[in-house]
Amino acid sequence: MNNRFKALVTGFVLLMAACGDPGNVPKEYIQKDKMSRILVDMTLADAYSNEVSALTTPLPDSVRQEKIKVYYKQILDLHKVSVKDFMASYNWYESHPDRMKDVFEKVQADIAARKNKLGNPAEENAPVRFRLKSFFPNAEKAFLLPASDTVRPFIKRQP
């Protein structure tokens, strides 16, 4: 019976050591807070790329994807993370869905907070472009925008 008790205790200790803390991320991977900040920036870069492409001459998707890769590399440089470390961490998070869920919840909360900070587009202090959207859903297509090349149509440009 003494050997059974030792085997049971040893098994229990090994089981507890294997489980570890379910909320922790190993030190060799990017921690949750930093990973969520990186993913927020990547999400914003992707949205920016889509918006710029919609406002200007639409780019082929392959060209837009190449631009996004440049943005992503700049974001990783900004956060002082190599592509290799990011991919290793991202793959680790993919294999641990509970921790990936925590990261994406932080990303979603951050983006929602940023969106709420902007306020309601129909409010008086919102940029004209947003106020017009509440009255004219296709206002962007009908009005000239500052990003446009033809700010003054029908006026010959001087060289």
Side-chain angles (χ1 to χ4, degrees):
M1 181 132 153
N2 196 6
N3 287 337
R4 275 180 138 180
F5 181 71
K6 286 181 183 179
L8 184 62
V9 169
T10 304
F12 182 72
V13 168
L14 288 175
L15 181 64
M16 292 304 291
C19 292
D21 187 9
N24 284 344
V25 176
K27 292 183 186 204
E28 63 266 18
Y29 300 114
I30 300 170
Q31 297 302 304
K32 290 179 190 178
D33 289 336
K34 188 171 186 175
M35 188 66 153
S36 67
R37 288 192 304 269
I38 292 170
L39 291 175
V40 164
D41 289 345
M42 287 180 167
T43 302
L44 294 174
D46 196 35
Y48 171 77
S49 177
N50 286 335
E51 184 73 18
V52 167
S53 181
L55 292 176
T56 62
T57 305
L59 298 172
D61 196 46
S62 59
V63 174
R64 192 181 72 76
Q65 290 296 326
E66 287 302 315
K67 282 187 165 198
I68 290 174
K69 285 181 185 178
V70 171
Y71 295 151
Y72 286 177
K73 177 67 174 121
Q74 290 172 345
I75 290 166
L76 292 177
D77 290 345
L78 179 72
H79 289 277
K80 296 177 175 74
V81 174
S82 71
V83 174
K84 181 182 173 185
D85 290 343
F86 175 78
M87 290 309 298
S89 296
Y90 193 84
N91 290 335
W92 184 86
Y93 278 104
E94 279 186 324
S95 65
H96 296 84
D98 56 328
R99 294 180 188 124
M100 180 67 107
K101 181 182 176 198
D102 293 343
V103 169
F104 280 131
E105 285 174 351
K106 288 181 181 199
V107 169
Q108 191 174 17
D110 188 327
I111 291 175
R114 289 171 188 243
K115 185 178 176 184
N116 289 337
K117 202 176 204 181
L118 289 174
N120 185 354
E123 288 180 2
E124 218 174 293
N125 61 350
V128 173
R129 186 166 130 199
F130 291 117
R131 286 185 281 163
L132 289 175
K133 275 187 177 181
S134 63
F135 296 110
F136 306 106
N138 297 316
E140 288 181 344
K141 296 175 185 167
F143 297 105
L144 294 174
L145 298 174
S148 174
D149 185 32
T150 56
V151 176
R152 297 182 204 154
F154 310 115
I155 297 175
K156 185 175 180 182
R157 293 182 187 258
Q158 299 297 323

